[in-house]
Amino acid sequence: MHSIYSDVADQLLQLEVELRRLDLWQAEAPPAEALDSGEPFCVDTLSLPQWLQFVFLPRMSLLVEREQPLPRQCGIAPIAEEYFKDKATAAPLVKLLGDIDARLRLG
């Protein structure tokens, strides 16, 4: 049986692939102050794809790499559903985020 770390690592790789497929992957990081937002998902300074690439992926990858405790709940899928509601091509990305949420809940 796969450990949660292996499962989440695979999902994080899939997330990067999906962001690239949708042409949402950025070559350059936003300014450091944009990453320092105190708001959930940095909604006041970043788009959701930026937050996924520059905050979520690095933080989760570090936790997985070090096998540190993972969050039990992220709640990213509902936000992604709203963000991408008019972009049908993003359905696989939204589903993947739901799968990540579900895997984290299972622990």
Side-chain angles (χ1 to χ4, degrees):
M1 178 184 281
H2 284 125
S3 75
I4 187 170
Y5 297 105
S6 175
D7 292 345
V8 173
D10 288 345
Q11 290 174 319
L12 295 176
L13 287 173
Q14 291 173 29
L15 178 55
E16 180 178 340
V17 167
E18 278 302 306
L19 288 170
R20 288 179 185 275
R21 181 185 70 80
L22 294 168
D23 201 26
L24 297 172
W25 194 261
Q26 291 183 211
E28 293 185 30
E33 56 271 8
L35 302 172
D36 265 348
S37 169
E39 295 295 318
F41 306 101
C42 300
V43 296
D44 58 337
T45 58
L46 300 175
S47 68
L48 181 61
Q50 287 175 318
W51 180 82
L52 289 168
Q53 179 181 349
F54 297 106
V55 178
F56 182 73
L57 277 170
R59 287 182 184 171
M60 290 297 291
S61 296
L62 189 61
L63 292 175
V64 167
E65 180 182 310
R66 294 181 178 174
E67 294 191 5
Q68 293 182 329
L70 298 171
R72 296 296 287 216
Q73 187 172 12
C74 283
I76 302 169
I79 290 154
E81 286 173 7
E82 178 63 25
Y83 185 87
F84 293 111
K85 67 183 174 191
D86 296 325
K87 191 167 186 174
T89 57
L93 175 61
V94 173
K95 181 189 179 316
L96 175 60
L97 292 169
D99 293 345
I100 292 170
D101 285 344
R103 183 61 181 103
L104 292 172
R105 275 193 304 276
L106 289 175

